């Protein structure tokens, strides 16, 4: 995107640390505050694009008008590995957003009680541990993050000494940083930053609490001074959006801030919205393709009698022979071994040498590598759940329906076992 065409002020690119080129002003108007915030964020973190830098700037500002918003956009700060700058982004957010609340070591019960009419801005590091297979007792926090995108979606709990049903608000903006994509329920409601490791020539300003925190806090205070009196105006604004449906819900708070600022920000915000939502459409298409591949590979294994392993050559041949599948036309000459390995890499699946019954070795894919990915991304609806299987066994053994479960419903405060179950 050509920012000069949008009338942008001269400023450094992400991570340059060149303060003298920033062209910052301190006249107190909204556009100047956003310009300065955008520049400062760029000093401390290398973001994926200019549009991403704009989006983070507007997301931070939108946190200061949360009570006026109907939707609380998530900010998904994801990267393929450690060391991509995800935690540094959260450091900057912590010093600039409205009422920051880090949730790495915070119990769900505390978060439920803190969210109210003027909610905090949740900052969740290592979010992959909340949504991953080791989530454990963090399921309540996961449910809160899923529900809190839209106003008036409370979580009901049995609480207090009288065990009364109580509605706890969930509405709060949240930034979540983690390795790999977060669940679709989060990504669909998020402005997504796909972070990468810095290249050798990319530099950032070191984040030093003694100097950085006061500077960032001063920007936070200027944002609050500008935006807090405008909450009533923001609540009445219905901005023209370049996208529709859920993407419009997610980006509307950012565009509202841009329209309040004026100048080049309304055009810049809408250009960032279009570019970043289009990028996620491409990502979604790739994800859908990978899910199709997992289903087709499961079908091939079933056709081969669920054999222990399939040669890479045989698996490719079977995939390409399916006239209804996209694999014969994938790439320039159809799906090949490199493509197949690349598409499966994100699932932790890779070919390895395997000795077959005839004694010959060949590169092959073992069936047990796919079991976890099949269960997560394309579960077979025809397959009974473990609970159903246990019920069938019990009925056959006893020749009568199983006894109803004993005990009472769990009763406890928010964050206890009676919490909402997440969607994946």
């Amino acid at each position: 995107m050509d920012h000069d065409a949008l009338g942008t002020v001269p400023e450094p690119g992400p991570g340059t640390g060149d303060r003298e080129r920033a062209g910052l002003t301190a006249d107190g108007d909204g556009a100047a505050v956003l310009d300065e915030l955008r520049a400062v964020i760029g000093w401390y973190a290398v973001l994926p694009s200019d549009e991403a830098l704009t989006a983070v700037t507007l997301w931070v500002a939108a946190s200061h008008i949360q009570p006026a918003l109907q939707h609380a956009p998530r900010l998904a700060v994801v990267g393929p590995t450690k060391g991509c700058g995800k935690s540094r982004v959260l450091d900057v957010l912590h010093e600039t957003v409205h009422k920051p609340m880090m949730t790495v070591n915070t119990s769900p019960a505390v978060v439920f009680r803190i969210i109210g009419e003027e909610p905090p801005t949740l900052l969740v590091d290592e979010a992959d541990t909340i949504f991953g297979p080791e989530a454990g007792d963090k399921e309540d926090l996961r449910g809160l993050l899923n529900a809190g995108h839209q106003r008036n979606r409370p979580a009901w709990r049995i609480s207090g000494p009288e065990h009364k049903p109580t509605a706890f608000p969930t509405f709060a903006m949240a930034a979540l940083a983690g390795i790999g994509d977060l669940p679709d329920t989060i990504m669909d409601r998020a402005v997504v930053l796909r972070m990468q490791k810095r290249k050798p020539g990319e530099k950032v300003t070191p984040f030093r609490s003694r100097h950085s925190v006061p500077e960032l806090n001063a920007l936070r205070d200027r944002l609050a001074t500008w935006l807090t009196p405008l909450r009533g105006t923001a609540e009445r604004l219905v901005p023209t959006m370049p996208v529709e449906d859920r993407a419009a819900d997610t980006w509307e708070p950012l565009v509202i801030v841009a329209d309040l600022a004026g100048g080049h920000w309304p055009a810049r915000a809408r250009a960032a919205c279009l570019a970043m939502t289009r990028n996620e459409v491409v990502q979604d298409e790739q994800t859908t393709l990978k899910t199709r591949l997992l289903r087709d590979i499961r079908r091939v294994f079933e056709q081969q009698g669920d054999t222990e392993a399939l040669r890479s050559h045989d698996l490719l041949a079977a995939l390409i022979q399916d006239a209804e599948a996209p694999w014969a036309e994938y790439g320039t000459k159809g799906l090949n071994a490199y493509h197949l390995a690349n598409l499966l890499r994100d699932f932790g699946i890779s070919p390895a040498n395997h000795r077959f019954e005839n004694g010959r070795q060949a590169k092959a894919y073992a069936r047990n590598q796919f079991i976890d990915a099949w269960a997560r991304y394309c579960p077979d609806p025809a397959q009974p759940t473990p609970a159903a299987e246990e019920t069938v066994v019990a009925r056959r053994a006893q020749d009568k329906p199983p006894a109803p479960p004993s005990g009472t419903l769990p009763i406890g405060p928010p964050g206890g076992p009676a919490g909402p179950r997440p969607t994946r």
Side-chain angles (χ1 to χ4, degrees):
M1 181 180 64
D2 185 359
H3 284 313
D4 291 337
L6 301 179
T8 59
V9 296
E11 57 193 359
T16 63
D18 187 353
R19 301 187 178 214
E20 293 184 2
R21 288 175 53 208
L24 304 180
T25 62
D27 56 12
D29 68 276
V33 176
L34 291 182
D35 288 341
E36 184 167 354
L37 176 62
R38 187 178 188 275
V40 171
I41 293 173
W43 296 336
Y44 290 114
V46 174
L47 295 175
S49 64
D50 282 347
E51 291 83 4
L53 182 55
T54 294
V56 175
T57 303
L58 292 170
W59 191 90
V60 169
S63 72
H64 292 270
I65 57 169
Q66 282 194 77
L69 303 177
Q70 290 301 310
H71 292 87
R74 278 72 184 97
L75 184 69
V77 189
V78 298
T81 63
K82 296 179 180 178
C84 293
K86 300 181 295 294
S87 296
R88 176 61 71 241
V89 171
L90 288 192
D91 289 338
V92 175
L93 296 183
H94 187 270
E95 306 306 329
T96 52
V97 299
H98 173 70
K99 291 178 62 176
M101 179 180 178
M102 279 286 188
T103 60
V104 175
N105 295 314
T106 302
S107 72
V110 172
V111 179
F112 271 108
R113 285 182 168 87
I114 287 179
I115 293 177
E117 291 302 317
E118 188 166 345
T121 305
L122 304 178
L123 306 176
V124 185
D125 204 357
E126 300 179 5
D128 45 298
T129 64
I130 295 174
F131 299 101
E134 305 299 327
D137 59 358
K138 297 178 182 177
E139 289 185 349
D140 271 0
L141 182 56
R142 180 168 56 185
L144 182 152
L145 292 169
N146 281 333
H149 177 258
Q150 188 170 346
R151 192 175 288 280
N152 299 324
R153 296 293 185 271
W156 286 87
R157 291 290 187 277
I158 300 296
S159 182
E162 298 181 1
H163 297 161
K164 289 185 177 180
T166 305
F168 288 88
T170 62
F171 182 80
M173 289 177 65
L176 304 97
I179 296 176
D181 278 10
L182 302 172
D184 287 346
T185 52
I186 295 294
M187 299 294 275
D188 288 349
R189 296 165 171 81
V191 175
V192 182
L193 305 184
R194 296 190 175 275
M195 304 292 289
Q196 298 291 335
K197 280 183 175 289
R198 283 189 285 130
K199 292 184 288 189
E202 293 177 321
K203 298 179 181 179
V204 294
T205 299
F207 188 92
R208 298 289 181 265
S209 297
R210 181 177 178 181
H211 304 290
S212 303
V213 169
E215 176 183 47
L216 292 170
N217 287 170
L219 270 172
R220 177 199 62 202
D221 294 342
R222 289 175 62 192
L223 285 169
T225 299
W226 165 46
L227 288 168
T228 300
L230 295 177
R231 287 178 178 176
T233 303
E235 189 172 10
R236 294 188 296 271
L237 280 181
V238 183
T240 302
M241 298 297 298
V243 293
E244 298 178 342
D245 302 326
R246 184 166 287 163
D249 293 337
T250 297
W251 277 86
E252 184 180 70
L254 281 65
V255 174
I256 286 175
V257 169
D259 285 353
L260 290 173
H264 53 260
W265 279 97
R268 172 178 268 174
R270 288 167 173 83
C273 173
L274 274 176
M276 295 185 69
T277 52
R278 285 170 178 167
N279 183 63
E280 287 309 300
V281 167
V282 173
Q283 293 288 337
D284 289 344
E285 289 174 350
Q286 189 70 3
T287 299
T288 302
L289 187 69
K290 291 177 182 179
T291 304
R292 169 67 186 267
L293 179 60
L294 287 175
R295 290 198 304 267
D296 288 353
I297 290 175
R298 180 171 59 192
R299 174 182 51 77
V300 174
F301 269 101
E302 290 172 350
Q303 291 173 347
Q304 297 297 321
D306 285 331
T307 183
E308 178 183 347
L310 282 172
R311 295 179 181 86
S312 300
H313 175 78
D314 294 338
L315 178 57
L316 281 167
L319 291 170
I320 292 172
Q321 286 173 4
D322 185 352
E324 297 181 0
W327 313 120
E329 299 177 356
Y330 187 87
T332 57
K333 297 182 180 179
L335 190 71
N336 58 34
Y338 172 79
H339 296 147
L340 181 62
N342 191 50
L343 289 169
L344 294 174
R345 184 175 295 116
D346 287 345
F347 302 113
I349 299 171
S350 59
N353 288 327
H354 184 84
R355 187 179 296 277
F356 291 87
E357 293 181 357
N358 57 12
R360 295 183 178 179
Q361 284 192 356
K363 286 286 186 181
Y365 286 90
R367 184 181 182 279
N368 61 12
Q369 285 192 92
F370 292 90
I371 293 175
D372 182 73
W374 287 337
R376 293 181 185 278
Y377 298 99
C378 51
D380 186 355
Q383 201 169 31
T385 62
E389 291 174 352
E390 292 170 4
T391 300
V392 171
V393 171
R395 288 180 176 176
R396 288 175 178 172
Q398 302 174 13
D399 196 26
K400 60 181 180 180
S406 60
T408 59
L409 291 174
I411 296 176
R421 286 298 176 260
T423 56
R424 292 294 300 270

